[in-house]
Amino acid sequence: MATFVQGNGHSGWSGDVATVTVGLDGIVTGWSEGARRLLGHRAPEVVGRAAADLLLDREAPEAAGFSFAGSREWSGTAALRHRDGHRVDVTLHAHPSLGVDGSPQGFVVTVTTAAAGSERDRRMVEWAFAQASIPLSTYSAASGSWHPNAAAEGEERAVEIAGADEDLLSCVRRVAEEATPMRYERIAPEPSAASTPAGARHRAWIVELWPVRDPATGEVVGVGTAAFDSTDRHSARQRLVLLQEAGSRIGTTLNVTRTAKELADLVVPRLADFVSVDLLESVLRGEEPTPGPVDAAVVLRRVAHQSTAEGDSVPEAAIALGGIDTYPPFSPPARCLAVGRPVLSGAGDPDFARWVAGHETRTARVEAYGFHSLIATPLRARGTTLGVAVFVRAEGSAPFEQDDLLLAEELAGRAAVGVDNARRYTRERTNALTLQRSLLPRDLPKQAAVEVASRYLPAGRGAGVGGDWFDVVPLSGTRVALVVGDVVGHGIHASATMGRLRTAVRTLADVDLPPDELLTHLDDLVIHLATDRDEVAPNEPYVVSGEIGATCLYAVYDPVSRICTFASAGHVPPAVLLPDGTVSVVRLTPGPLLGVGGLPFESTELELPEGSLLAFCTDGLIEARDRDMGLGLDRLCEALASPVPSLEVTCDTILKALLPDSPADDVALLLARTRALHADQVAAWSLPSDPAIVADARAQAARQLAAWGLEDAAFVTELVVSELVTNAIRYGAVPIGLRLIRDRTLICEVSDASNTAPHLRRARTYDEGGRGLHMVAQLTQGWGARQTAVGKTIWAEQPLPAG
């Protein structure tokens, strides 16, 4: 038995095979063993006889073609007589045998027989091709023509694919040339669809291609194709792609309006011709909407819409962006909000027609653009209804189907999560900003030492509020403290820590501690705050475990001496612009971050000419991804040197020069232009430790007040001088000094070398002392004591006389 195998491994049929040689005159010249097995004749019985004698019926019509004349290769079928007389149906293939000169010498005939019914089986292959339910075609390499079966002829798209697709033709040529099978996929809109309809149905085909070979020579004579309709699979894949894109394109920012617009931009025109997104007012304010579905007439605000119209305009919209619309209970949007599920509606729905008719502009839009199919789906997240998304198809687009309803619901659900996240962030950020701004100074206090201006900018939308702060604290003797600090991290905990530190700085500043000592006390406070946080339960809200880190720069400027004393706890150094135009960064001895503990802080003194401009800032101003602190300080100095008319304008100039539109970190900026008290505003005397000098001190003070034209203040001033000088002589140590300062107020200061500070006490009826400081406190608007390098200073401040 032998098996006949077609090209590409396609099996044909089985049968006996025999070989016979025949001369040009038709006489058998050779007989193979296979021929004996096939017909039963032995070689001596056949060789030398006419080949035609083997036919069952020499008069049959097919016998006429049983000729060996000429030199042409031929094939055909015949019925032969077996030696025992029974019929044998065979297929003959005659191949000419050529001599040395190329002339035919005879034929080699291959005789093949198959089982009963093999001819019908062979024909059945042709019938299967013609009657197949899938489009099948063959491409002839010789003529370049297509031969489709009935299914391909009846399928318009399959015919178009076969005949007009250049990509497919390229694949066909490649299969014919390389003799290797291929697969090709074609996706195209329906022939009757408009050019760009929303949700236009596409037909998808997968075409299998394989080479067709001549069984005799193995030569590729054409290409066979089978086309399979994969439209449903393609549509499902497109839905998955759209959902996947929704995951990456919706909710990219913590902004309610932006998230709604991302939904609208995604679905047009891939799902709808027009889409609108409306939200509840409470959502836009960051408030918590009422859980569950929304009943009755619904008032919503339009936050986003999109259409297939060219440009940025959306002429199909009946409600403008930011506008309010009231949806009656029977309208599709209100119905979907009430049931909490999507609603499919359209031109055939009486409620749709009634809703459209109740709004003149909406009626005009529906008629103008042919809106005929609508899906309204609620925006719900975590069991809370936030608003509604409405998807609409216009004339030229197919109506929505149930699969579209499920897709719209899934897209709206993902958008709702993004909107709810943005709403929650808006609420938390608003609360944190409110807390932060309540902890920052609203109006900087008025004082004589410096002219100030400030700016505070919270970080961009992604970072959350931070712990940057600044302050201006008036001190005794017309001095002023300038403070700027930064708590590491963002969020409410950072703002709360910032508020506690700012309060602590103000409290310590009232004690009038030197800058380095103040930072030492502040460092201890931060260590205690970190300890307190460790004792809080980890599941308490707004608590972050770990150490608290903060930086602070504290400076005290004295307008009398024109000396500014700085101390830094890991903070950015200030820049200074001198009156001669020189700009530089103040060189400080940097101290550790607050909260490290155990390391000292050092003070740096700098004498400043009157009119010098100091710029204090946090690292958010000078540090960025594209520059380090050194480069940022250089740019700050450049911006500070630019001529500007006022400190307010200078602040804006610096921020514009150094910051992007949305800074990545909080920014605090404090500018201070120094003033100086001149010699005609300050009078000072050195006093001996002698009680007799008290009267002379009163007299000198009175004469100075007269020189200043402040005679009306003489009585109170003499009493204050008498009390303070007496206490210094009685309880203090030499040297003793008296100083009067005339500025916005009149200040009397008495200093001595003792560190013992006075304090008020209640004098009993028969006590001889204890009433002096109480009287000073009653007659002046303020008094106090501060430590100095050589002792202490007691001061009392009173308003200048009217006029």
Side-chain angles (χ1 to χ4, degrees):
M1 299 293 288
T3 301
F4 177 69
V5 182
Q6 293 181 330
N8 270 347
H10 296 284
S11 297
W13 53 87
S14 324
D16 291 322
V17 179
T19 303
V20 180
T21 58
V22 182
L24 295 178
D25 55 0
I27 302 301
V28 177
T29 59
W31 190 259
S32 68
E33 178 63 20
R36 186 195 66 76
R37 290 195 303 268
L38 178 65
L39 297 176
H41 299 284
R42 294 177 297 170
E45 298 174 352
V46 179
V47 174
R49 295 177 53 188
D53 294 344
L54 298 174
L55 294 174
L56 181 66
D57 183 5
R58 297 189 62 165
E59 303 299 328
E62 59 268 20
F66 195 66
S67 172
F68 296 97
S71 60
R72 182 177 57 86
E73 176 182 338
W74 59 270
S75 62
T77 60
L80 304 181
R81 181 186 295 107
H82 194 272
R83 187 171 184 275
D84 60 9
H86 75 266
R87 179 188 177 114
V88 179
D89 292 316
V90 297
T91 299
L92 304 177
H93 295 278
H95 304 275
S97 175
L98 306 180
V100 176
D101 59 355
S103 61
Q105 304 297 315
F107 288 88
V108 177
V109 181
T110 301
V111 184
T112 304
T113 182
S118 62
E119 178 64 19
R120 177 180 293 272
D121 292 343
R122 185 181 65 81
R123 296 292 303 277
M124 186 169 61
V125 175
E126 300 177 4
W127 299 338
F129 174 85
Q131 300 173 19
S133 60
I134 61 174
L136 299 173
S137 301
T138 58
Y139 173 80
S140 172
S143 63
S145 59
W146 286 92
H147 303 280
N149 68 351
E153 289 179 341
E155 180 57 60
E156 180 180 358
R157 176 55 61 191
V159 173
E160 180 182 331
I161 290 175
D165 189 340
E166 289 297 330
D167 292 335
L168 177 62
L169 292 177
S170 176
C171 293
V172 169
R173 298 186 188 100
R174 181 176 173 184
V175 170
E177 294 173 358
E178 300 179 2
T180 55
M182 287 186 64
R183 171 176 290 187
Y184 172 77
E185 186 172 6
R186 166 67 182 246
I187 302 170
E190 290 280 11
S192 59
S195 57
T196 55
R201 183 172 176 82
H202 287 67
R203 291 294 298 274
W205 293 89
I206 294 177
V207 183
E208 298 285 350
L209 303 96
W210 65 91
V212 177
R213 302 174 184 270
D214 185 329
T217 64
E219 177 187 0
V220 176
V221 296
V223 176
T225 67
F228 302 93
D229 190 344
S230 59
T231 301
D232 292 340
R233 185 171 67 177
H234 170 72
S235 298
R237 188 169 60 204
Q238 290 301 105
R239 284 181 167 84
L240 290 176
V241 169
L242 189 59
L243 289 175
Q244 183 179 12
E245 288 189 30
S248 61
R249 292 178 53 183
I250 299 178
T252 59
T253 63
L254 291 172
N255 181 284
V256 172
T257 302
R258 178 61 185 169
T259 302
K261 189 176 187 306
E262 288 169 345
L263 170 63
D265 291 342
L266 178 67
V267 300
V268 174
R270 298 164 68 177
L271 180 62
D273 294 304
F274 170 79
V275 63
S276 64
V277 181
D278 300 341
L279 299 178
L280 297 168
E281 285 284 356
S282 57
V283 175
L284 296 175
R285 293 193 299 266
E287 299 174 358
E288 193 75 29
T290 303
V294 179
D295 297 327
V298 185
V299 178
L300 300 171
R301 186 176 295 276
R302 177 68 50 84
V303 294
H305 52 214
Q306 187 57 276
S307 73
T308 55
E310 295 182 358
D312 297 331
S313 63
V314 184
E316 298 91 335
I319 305 297
L321 284 177
I324 295 178
D325 194 14
T326 301
Y327 293 94
F330 57 83
S331 65
R335 283 161 47 197
C336 84
L337 291 176
V339 299
R341 298 189 305 275
V343 169
L344 178 61
S345 183
D349 184 357
D351 287 338
F352 175 81
R354 180 183 173 191
W355 171 52
V356 172
H359 193 284
E360 182 178 351
T361 305
R362 185 171 286 113
T363 301
R365 297 293 188 271
V366 170
E367 293 177 353
Y369 297 99
F371 294 148
H372 61 86
S373 186
L374 174 148
I375 292 177
T377 180
L379 297 174
R380 302 186 72 243
R382 303 177 180 93
T384 302
T385 300
L386 308 172
V388 63
V390 178
F391 307 88
V392 185
R393 285 187 179 173
E395 184 178 1
S397 297
F400 285 114
E401 301 175 352
Q402 287 298 322
D403 288 344
D404 299 318
L405 195 70
L406 298 175
L407 178 60
E409 182 180 18
E410 182 68 23
L411 291 172
R414 299 196 179 193
V417 172
V419 169
D420 192 50
N421 289 339
R423 176 192 65 80
R424 290 167 176 259
Y425 173 78
T426 299
R427 181 186 62 190
E428 299 301 331
R429 180 177 173 82
T430 300
N431 293 340
L433 283 175
T434 300
L435 170 63
Q436 186 180 42
R437 294 191 181 279
S438 67
L439 298 174
L440 289 172
R442 294 192 177 184
D443 297 314
L444 296 177
K446 294 182 179 181
Q447 36 71 44
V450 292
E451 176 191 0
V452 293
S454 63
R455 292 290 186 274
Y456 172 78
L457 294 179
R461 302 289 297 181
V465 296
D468 293 18
W469 94 92
F470 61 90
D471 208 347
V472 177
V473 184
L475 302 176
S476 62
T478 68
R479 296 169 308 128
V480 65
L482 304 170
V483 194
V484 62
D486 184 4
V487 176
V488 176
H490 293 88
I492 290 182
H493 69 279
S495 295
T497 302
M498 175 269 288
R500 300 173 77 174
L501 293 181
R502 177 172 175 260
T503 302
V505 169
R506 275 193 162 266
T507 302
L508 295 171
D510 286 341
V511 181
D512 230 329
L513 294 175
D516 54 340
E517 292 187 26
L518 183 141
L519 290 183
T520 300
H521 287 283
L522 197 61
D523 184 48
D524 293 338
L525 173 63
V526 172
I527 293 175
H528 291 312
L529 290 178
T531 303
D532 292 342
R533 287 175 60 181
D534 291 339
E535 296 174 356
V536 179
N539 58 351
E540 284 196 26
Y542 307 115
V543 172
V544 180
S545 61
E547 300 295 330
I548 296 176
T551 66
C552 183
L553 176 62
Y554 186 81
V556 175
Y557 175 67
D558 186 346
V560 177
S561 64
R562 293 183 289 106
I563 292 178
C564 189
T565 305
F566 304 88
S568 172
H571 197 80
V572 179
V576 58
L577 170 64
L578 300 179
D580 62 3
T582 303
V583 184
S584 62
V585 177
V586 179
R587 294 189 176 183
L588 305 179
T589 302
L593 291 175
L594 297 176
V596 173
L599 297 176
F601 299 94
E602 296 185 24
S603 294
T604 301
E605 291 187 350
L606 181 65
E607 184 175 351
L608 298 173
E610 183 179 5
S612 299
L613 180 58
L614 289 166
F616 301 84
C617 66
T618 55
D619 57 2
L621 178 66
I622 61 173
E623 285 187 332
R625 292 182 179 178
D626 59 342
R627 65 174 185 265
D628 58 12
M629 183 180 295
L631 180 58
L633 286 173
D634 292 341
R635 294 182 59 180
L636 173 61
C637 291
E638 292 175 4
L640 197 63
S642 302
V644 289
S646 67
L647 291 187
E648 296 293 336
V649 176
T650 304
C651 284
D652 296 333
T653 301
I654 292 175
L655 296 180
K656 184 177 181 181
L658 274 73
L659 291 180
D661 294 335
S662 181
D665 196 4
D666 285 19
V667 173
L669 174 63
L670 176 64
L671 298 183
R673 177 174 283 124
T674 63
R675 297 186 177 119
L677 295 182
H678 301 287
D680 61 346
Q681 294 179 273
V682 180
W685 301 271
S686 180
L687 305 176
S689 181
D690 183 357
I693 201 66
V694 174
D696 186 53
R698 289 200 304 266
Q700 292 188 69
R703 286 193 296 270
Q704 185 60 54
L705 293 181
W708 286 340
L710 301 177
E711 293 87 348
D712 292 343
F715 174 76
V716 173
T717 303
E718 288 182 32
L719 191 149
V720 170
V721 169
S722 178
E723 177 60 29
L724 297 184
V725 171
T726 300
N727 284 344
I729 295 173
R730 180 178 299 178
Y731 305 108
V734 293
I736 299 173
L738 169 64
R739 185 168 71 167
L740 295 180
I741 301 174
R742 174 181 62 87
D743 190 57
R744 298 184 180 183
T745 59
L746 179 61
I747 301 172
C748 177
E749 295 183 342
V750 175
S751 60
D752 66 79
S754 172
N755 290 321
T756 303
H759 60 276
L760 287 175
R761 62 184 179 87
R762 186 179 297 278
R764 292 185 290 272
T765 303
Y766 299 103
D767 287 347
E768 294 183 0
R771 298 179 177 86
L773 283 180
H774 182 75
M775 184 171 53
V776 170
Q778 295 296 316
L779 294 177
T780 61
Q781 66 179 23
W783 77 278
R786 67 174 181 270
Q787 299 295 321
T788 66
V790 296
K792 67 176 182 297
T793 297
I794 312 300
W795 57 271
E797 184 176 356
Q798 57 181 308
L800 296 176

